């Protein structure tokens, strides 16, 4: 499995608005295309105004295909402007779990 960890730093005070619009509209579209949502978080202590969401994919090809379908969905294109201006900085990481990880992993080759 591969895990995509997306971290967004939002504008000051934007977390409630962002979470509301994602809950009401965005997450259903994402789940339809991206599949397995591992978790969706917001910062409470530490760096403020952060959103982190983690998605699981069977392979990098799986991720690419799923993200491509998401980006091509007209409903997603209508949704994106509702969050785009709330995000100041976006970071994306692809992680692979260690063999002993609770979410399962494989030994490096």
């Amino acid at each position: 499995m591969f895990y995509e960890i997306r971290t967004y730093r939002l504008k000051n005070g934007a977390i409630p608005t962002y979470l509301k619009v994602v809950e009401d509209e965005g997450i259903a579209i994402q789940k339809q295309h991206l599949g397995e949502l591992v978790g969706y978080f917001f910062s409470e202590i530490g760096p403020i105004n952060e959103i982190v969401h983690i998605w699981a994919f069977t392979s990098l090809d799986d991720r690419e295909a799923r993200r491509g379908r998401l980006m091509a969905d007209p409903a997603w294109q209508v949704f994106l402007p509702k969050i785009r201006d709330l995000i100041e900085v976006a970071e994306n990481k692809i992680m692979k779990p260690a063999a002993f990880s609770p979410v399962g992993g494989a030994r490096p080759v």
Side-chain angles (χ1 to χ4, degrees), residues 23-35:
E23 181 178 14
D24 291 350
E25 301 174 43
I27 200 67
I29 303 166
Q30 287 178 292
K31 284 181 175 179
Q32 178 184 352
H33 296 290
L34 298 182

Side-chain angles (χ1 to χ4, degrees), residues 67-106:
R67 291 209 51 85
R69 288 192 298 269
L70 174 66
M71 295 309 292
D73 186 328
W76 184 249
Q77 294 302 317
V78 169
F79 172 76
L80 271 179
K82 297 177 182 181
I83 61 168
R84 186 176 291 138
D85 291 340
L86 300 174
I87 300 170
E88 289 189 334
V89 176
E91 178 182 305
N92 191 35
K93 290 190 274 189
I94 302 293
M95 305 293 285
K96 190 160 177 72
F100 54 83
S101 174
V103 296

Side-chain angles (χ1 to χ4, degrees), residues 10-20 42-43 48-51:
L10 304 183
K11 291 181 178 178
N12 194 30
I15 285 181
T17 303
Y18 177 94
L19 290 175
K20 178 78 171 132
F42 62 93
S43 58
I48 60 171
N49 302 313
E50 276 194 355
I51 296 288

Side-chain angles (χ1 to χ4, degrees), residues 56-78:
F57 300 97
T58 58
S59 67
L60 295 177
D61 289 337
D62 176 43
R63 177 193 172 271
E64 184 175 347
R66 289 176 175 276
R67 291 209 51 85
R69 288 192 298 269
L70 174 66
M71 295 309 292
D73 186 328
W76 184 249
Q77 294 302 317
V78 169

